[in-house]
Amino acid sequence: MKRLLFIVVLLLQIFFIFANRPIKRSPVTDSLITELQTLPHDTTRLKLLEKLVLTEQNSPHYIEYAEEMFNEAQRQKNAKYICSSTYFKILYYYNKEKIDSVSKLVDYVKPIAERMKYYRLYFNVQKLLIYTYIYSEKYEYAINEALEMLKIAEELDNVDGCIAAYSCLASAYHETNRKKEEGEALRKAHEYASEQKTSSTQVNVLEQLIMFSNDQNDYKNLKVYLDENKQLIEEMLA
């Protein structure tokens, strides 16, 4: 289940990192690096560094460029790029299962994201932290953090945050064999996801519901969720 959980969480992320798979630098990367040498230390440099990080997301050089982007954003005191570069770093350490690094970076970036009202990023990093707790079998930490995230999300009337919180709760409840609470959390996540226009978010919630229904031998709802999931995927492909 933890491996399936890992896949579900990664589908929520825009950027997927295979940090241990070495590949040669592409001509695009070489071109970006060359251009970088000529740029002043302003937002044009940060934009190019961000492009470089995204281009190299499957490369072992990913974290080097993310660090360079982070340091440049700090020098320029640019909160937007401090947040995005920190998020890139969190994704890297999350995939390395380095909970201490994830925790420190989340604690660092959350106040900045909250001050700038970057709530999508705020809840994304909190979600990653909670999943590191789940993988580390620190289930009570995960549940407490998810409940706190839910409280904040409800106060802000933030649908993304509510979905993330309920999904995290469901995952923690699954690992602690609290089936009733898991089902309730998943249904709440599905209720919020139905309000979303982000199909990938809806698909991820449905995948959790599909696994849950299958585990419970609830074939009636399993078919409902499978049909809904199929329709959403077809719409995304179209």
Side-chain angles (χ1 to χ4, degrees):
M1 176 61 191
K2 288 182 181 178
R3 178 53 52 187
L4 289 173
L5 201 58
F6 183 73
I7 294 170
V8 169
V9 175
L10 289 181
L11 287 172
L12 291 172
Q13 311 307 318
I14 299 173
F15 314 109
F16 187 77
I17 308 165
F18 298 96
N20 290 321
R21 190 180 69 180
I23 57 173
K24 290 184 178 180
R25 284 176 176 158
S26 68
V28 173
T29 298
D30 289 337
S31 175
L32 290 172
I33 291 173
T34 300
E35 185 180 352
L36 184 65
Q37 311 308 314
T38 67
L39 292 179
H41 292 275
D42 58 16
T43 53
T44 58
R45 188 177 190 86
L46 287 169
K47 287 177 182 177
L48 189 139
L49 281 168
E50 183 174 52
K51 189 181 295 185
L52 187 57
V53 171
L54 297 177
T55 301
E56 287 292 287
Q57 62 186 287
N58 297 336
S59 161
H61 300 292
Y62 170 93
I63 190 60
E64 297 171 23
Y65 300 131
E67 287 283 7
E68 186 174 352
M69 180 184 170
F70 175 75
N71 292 333
E72 182 66 31
Q74 283 192 314
R75 280 193 292 268
Q76 295 188 32
K77 298 180 180 179
N78 188 308
K80 175 184 176 182
Y81 286 96
I82 286 174
C83 285
S84 57
S85 59
T86 304
Y87 182 61
F88 294 146
K89 290 171 63 178
I90 290 170
L91 283 173
Y92 175 82
Y93 290 115
Y94 172 80
N95 284 297
K96 292 289 185 181
E97 298 182 15
K98 294 187 176 181
I99 187 169
D100 288 341
S101 297
V102 171
S103 181
K104 288 177 183 176
L105 288 167
V106 169
D107 286 344
Y108 169 78
V109 78
K110 276 175 59 180
I112 302 172
E114 185 176 18
R115 186 173 68 248
M116 302 301 295
K117 297 185 179 180
Y118 296 154
Y119 293 122
R120 182 181 290 272
L121 185 143
Y122 178 93
F123 289 116
N124 273 341
V125 299
Q126 182 66 13
K127 175 185 62 190
L128 291 174
L129 176 62
I130 291 168
Y131 275 104
T132 60
Y133 287 140
I134 294 173
Y135 301 147
S136 302
E137 300 182 357
K138 297 180 178 180
Y139 302 123
E140 289 309 312
Y141 278 106
I143 290 169
N144 290 337
E145 289 284 344
L147 289 171
E148 180 63 23
M149 176 164 66
L150 179 61
K151 178 182 176 183
I152 295 170
E154 287 178 338
E155 288 174 355
L156 293 170
D157 195 25
N158 187 286
V159 173
D160 290 322
C162 290
I163 294 170
Y166 278 118
S167 294
C168 289
L169 282 170
S171 299
Y173 289 145
H174 177 88
E175 295 300 328
T176 51
N177 204 32
R178 295 161 67 174
K179 298 300 181 184
K180 180 181 177 182
E181 291 91 339
E182 179 186 0
E184 290 172 353
L186 286 174
R187 285 186 285 273
K188 287 296 292 185
H190 182 250
E191 181 182 325
Y192 277 107
S194 299
E195 302 175 19
Q196 285 284 70
K197 294 182 179 180
T198 308
S199 298
S200 58
T201 301
Q202 294 171 294
V203 167
N204 284 307
V205 171
L206 283 167
E207 285 178 347
Q208 284 185 282
L209 277 164
I210 288 166
M211 287 189 286
F212 175 76
S213 299
N214 187 60
D215 288 344
Q216 298 299 299
N217 298 321
D218 182 2
Y219 301 117
K220 180 180 178 181
N221 279 319
L222 177 61
K223 184 180 186 307
V224 171
Y225 297 135
L226 282 169
D227 288 345
E228 189 175 340
N229 197 44
K230 179 183 177 183
Q231 182 180 344
L232 276 171
I233 290 172
E234 288 175 350
E235 289 174 0
M236 291 170 69
L237 292 173

